Amino acid sequence: MPAQLTTHVLDTMHGTPAAGLKIVLFQLEENAAKELKIAVTNSDGRTDIPMLSETEFATGQFELVFHVGDYFTSQGVDLPEPMFLDTVPIRFAIADVSAKYHVPLLVSPWAYSTYRGS
């Protein structure tokens, strides 16, 4: 398996993959965030390409921002204003450039969890 960063999103409210959810990847450097990539999940809740491919892979601090508020609104979920969760940022570090990093998100309008997957 090549070194890369991947993600997927599961909608725990509906028990389905979260299709059509926008994800933005940032690289964090000191006090700045550099936007690297924007992706939208497919019907399986995954991105069609890795968030970082083997050639883009590097050590450092990163942040994935999941636009869950827009996703749940598009699903017709009646949400309060302001939403409890609008965007979900997950900050993590890549230390091993020879490894695969998978950062999934399990989310509802009220809660989320993540882990380092394989």
Side-chain angles (χ1 to χ4, degrees):
M1 180 69 60
Q4 60 184 357
L5 170 65
T6 58
T7 187
H8 76 273
V9 184
L10 299 175
D11 174 344
T12 59
M13 178 180 189
H14 296 106
T16 60
L21 191 143
K22 178 181 170 183
I23 304 167
V24 183
L25 173 66
F26 295 91
Q27 185 169 19
L28 306 175
E29 297 175 352
E30 296 188 23
N31 293 325
K34 177 182 174 187
E35 184 179 296
L36 298 180
K37 194 172 286 183
I38 299 174
V40 176
T41 57
N42 60 25
S43 62
D44 195 33
R46 300 176 185 276
T47 59
D48 289 330
I49 59 172
M51 296 303 290
L52 288 175
S53 67
E54 189 171 21
T55 59
E56 300 166 314
F57 212 64
T59 60
Q61 299 283 328
F62 296 88
E63 181 176 66
L64 287 166
V65 178
F66 298 84
H67 291 256
V68 300
D70 291 343
Y71 164 77
F72 283 111
T73 298
S74 75
Q75 299 300 302
V77 177
D78 186 20
L79 299 171
E81 191 59 46
M83 293 177 225
F84 182 69
L85 294 175
D86 186 15
T87 58
V88 173
I90 299 176
R91 289 189 172 189
F92 59 96
I94 293 175
D96 182 356
V97 294
S98 66
K100 180 176 192 248
Y101 284 72
H102 183 69
V103 182
L105 178 70
L106 289 73
V107 68
S108 80
W110 313 109
Y112 66 91
S113 65
T114 190
Y115 56 93
R116 180 172 173 199
S118 57

